[in-house]
Amino acid sequence: MLVQIHQQQLTEMETEEKQGLRGSEVLRKRMEPNEHGTFPADPETRHGNGFLDSLRKYKVKEVFTWHLFKTISMSQGLSVLICGTGISSQYLAVRYSVNTPMLQSFINYILLFCVYTSILAFRRGDDSLLQILKTKWWKYMLLGIVDVEANYMVVKAYQYTTLTSVQLLDCFVIPVLMALSWFILRTRYRVIHYVAVCICLLGVGAMVGADVLAGRDQGASTNILLGDSLVLMSAALYAVSNVCQEYTVKNLSREEFLGMIGMFGTVFSGLQLAVLEHSEIAKIIWDWQVALLFAAYALCMFALYSFMPVVIKIASATAVNLSMLTADLFSLFFGLFLFHYKFSGLYILAFAMIIAGFVLYYSMPTYTQEPAPQGTAIDGLDNPVSESEDDTRQETAIQFPSGEDAAETTRSQ
């Protein structure tokens, strides 16, 4: 009898060890990032204690890592490329009276088509150009229209509103990006992310304030309502394009996104160019300086399109756009030497606030709300064992012998 009891106890101990291992596996899966590069839903966050617990567990050494430094450096490289497009466009407009934004974008789409669409053309299988066009042509066609019009509207807005309005309203891309990521990518944010976004936007406010104090509030004001509306629509379209880009590069491939954008962007920008800018193109007096500025714009834009998916893949579209808010500041710094802008200490403050907001945003990972696996408890770790047929065990009652039985057992031994 005692031997049977001992065997039953050993069986129960082995079963409990298996349950403990399975509970640890559930915990490990919850701590692993998903395919979007974010973390699954945290039960503590759902109960409202995630932010306070995160602050208590906050470690500075785990935030300022090589990965953070690499992400900031790459994002600021994108800001410099945006600055290059702005400076070359300003030189063309101010010194050579060339206002052809669609022609400049058309050259960029041609480069994307020649490089990335050609890569897709030489592929075989499901990710080949022909197969992509058969299954998803209409999706990339709509995305191409969105990208072309986003680039056109923001440049067109400068003809109707002021630089200050463009800089402020262009930040509308951030809340739209977060909203689209919430519904499309199922990204969930913590309180610290909203605080970080507010800090970045305050940095943009400081930059705009410095522009006003320095007398740089230039620009047309013939139709402010139309100009501001164009900026807002452009920001919304940029957000749509960036969310689609994040989904594509994290689930499909960077080459597929850029190849399809290059193909359909070339088509639609070429049509719009022929309709809207044919007279402006005829007025251009070509020389090597004008050609060099066109080439500089196209190369900066091509590099921006090529490397932005790389940064989005290791971070997110929202984080990258927060970091790229410094692009206007780089333009101002270069403008001190090229266009003799007046310097203000608020520019340094604005740059520091944007970088600090980005670091704060990046210090805490977002998480993705996903449906829980069947049979797995998700409300906590109190009962992490899945209730499957393999884990079902029969309860065996252990009856201790009475005095007479114990005496008989002793005599039998």
Side-chain angles (χ1 to χ4, degrees):
M1 177 69 69
L2 290 176
V3 174
Q4 294 177 352
I5 295 174
H6 182 65
Q7 291 177 349
Q8 292 175 354
Q9 291 176 345
L10 289 176
T11 303
E12 292 175 356
M13 291 175 62
E14 292 176 355
T15 305
E16 290 176 355
E17 289 178 356
K18 292 180 180 179
Q19 293 176 356
L21 290 174
R22 186 158 301 184
S24 63
E25 291 177 358
V26 173
L27 177 61
R28 178 177 55 81
K29 290 181 179 179
R30 288 177 179 172
M31 298 304 294
E32 290 179 351
N34 52 35
E35 65 272 11
H36 300 296
T38 55
F39 290 83
D42 187 354
E44 294 180 353
T45 306
R46 288 200 302 269
H47 294 296
N49 297 325
F51 180 63
L52 296 178
D53 292 340
S54 300
L55 289 179
R56 287 194 292 268
K57 298 176 183 179
Y58 193 85
K59 296 181 180 180
V60 177
K61 292 183 179 180
E62 295 180 357
V63 175
F64 293 95
T65 60
W66 166 249
H67 191 269
L68 173 64
F69 176 76
K70 181 176 67 174
T71 305
I72 292 178
S73 300
M74 296 175 70
S75 299
Q76 295 311 297
L78 297 179
S79 295
V80 172
L81 292 175
I82 296 176
C83 170
T85 62
I87 291 177
S88 57
S89 295
Q90 190 167 359
Y91 259 108
L92 285 171
V94 174
R95 297 198 176 185
Y96 300 99
S97 301
V98 176
N99 294 287
T100 55
M102 192 52 63
L103 175 60
Q104 296 165 229
S105 297
F106 178 75
I107 299 174
N108 170 54
Y109 290 122
I110 285 289
L111 293 176
L112 292 175
F113 176 83
C114 293
V115 175
Y116 295 103
T117 310
S118 299
I119 293 176
L120 296 179
F122 286 100
R123 286 184 174 179
R124 298 292 182 268
D126 294 336
D127 56 350
S128 64
L129 177 61
L130 184 60
Q131 190 63 30
I132 293 173
L133 290 176
K134 284 182 178 179
T135 57
K136 295 174 283 189
W137 66 270
W138 63 273
K139 297 179 182 179
Y140 286 115
M141 182 187 70
L142 294 177
L143 185 57
I145 296 174
V146 166
D147 196 75
V148 169
E149 297 307 321
N151 289 325
Y152 179 75
M153 285 182 181
V154 69
V155 178
K156 194 69 174 178
Y158 283 98
Q159 300 180 13
Y160 301 102
T161 189
T162 61
L163 174 65
T164 301
S165 297
V166 174
Q167 290 175 331
L168 285 175
L169 297 177
D170 195 44
C171 297
F172 183 62
V173 67
I174 304 297
V176 177
L177 256 177
M178 297 181 73
L180 292 177
S181 298
W182 179 286
F183 291 107
I184 298 177
L185 303 179
R186 301 178 66 85
T187 303
R188 297 297 180 262
Y189 303 96
R190 296 180 171 88
V191 177
I192 194 171
H193 297 123
Y194 297 107
V195 174
V197 169
C198 292
I199 293 175
C200 290
L201 296 181
L202 287 175
V204 175
M207 176 185 66
V208 173
D211 287 344
V212 174
L213 293 176
R216 290 192 63 245
D217 191 26
Q218 71 268 25
S221 57
T222 56
N223 194 336
I224 294 179
L225 180 60
L226 175 59
D228 293 349
S229 300
L230 288 174
V231 177
L232 292 176
M233 287 189 291
S234 173
L237 293 177
Y238 270 128
V240 173
S241 177
N242 287 343
V243 168
C244 295
Q245 182 176 182
E246 180 176 355
Y247 177 84
T248 305
V249 300
K250 289 184 177 181
N251 295 278
L252 299 174
S253 71
R254 162 176 167 263
E255 291 79 11
E256 179 174 332
F257 175 81
L258 295 175
M260 292 296 99
I261 285 292
M263 173 181 288
F264 289 104
T266 300
V267 173
F268 293 110
S269 63
L271 292 175
Q272 196 163 337
L273 168 67
V275 174
L276 299 179
E277 292 186 357
H278 62 276
S279 59
E280 291 292 332
I281 296 175
K283 298 177 183 177
I284 298 177
I285 302 175
W286 292 95
D287 58 18
W288 69 271
Q289 293 176 324
V290 172
L292 183 62
L293 289 172
F294 269 100
Y297 178 91
L299 290 177
C300 287
M301 188 63 76
F302 175 77
L304 176 65
Y305 270 71
S306 298
F307 292 110
M308 188 171 180
V310 178
V311 188
I312 287 180
K313 189 171 184 177
I314 65 175
S316 68
T318 303
V320 172
N321 277 272
L322 284 175
S323 182
M324 289 195 307
L325 291 175
T326 58
D328 289 330
L329 288 171
F330 282 111
S331 298
L332 294 172
F333 294 148
F334 282 106
L336 294 174
F337 304 98
L338 300 176
F339 305 108
H340 306 290
Y341 292 155
K342 183 180 179 181
F343 178 77
S344 174
L346 288 177
Y347 293 144
I348 303 298
L349 176 63
F351 182 84
M353 292 179 68
I354 294 174
I355 296 298
F358 174 79
V359 172
L360 185 63
Y361 183 94
Y362 203 77
S363 65
M364 189 68 61
T366 58
Y367 61 95
T368 300
Q369 187 181 39
E370 296 179 348
Q374 293 182 355
T376 302
I378 61 173
D379 291 333
L381 295 178
D382 295 333
N383 185 23
V385 183
S386 60
E387 298 177 357
S388 60
E389 294 181 359
D390 295 337
D391 298 326
T392 304
R393 60 177 181 145
Q394 297 178 352
E395 296 289 341
T396 304
I398 302 176
Q399 298 179 354
F400 291 95
S402 60
E404 296 179 357
D405 296 333
E408 293 178 2
T409 304
T410 305
R411 286 197 299 272
S412 64
Q413 293 177 348

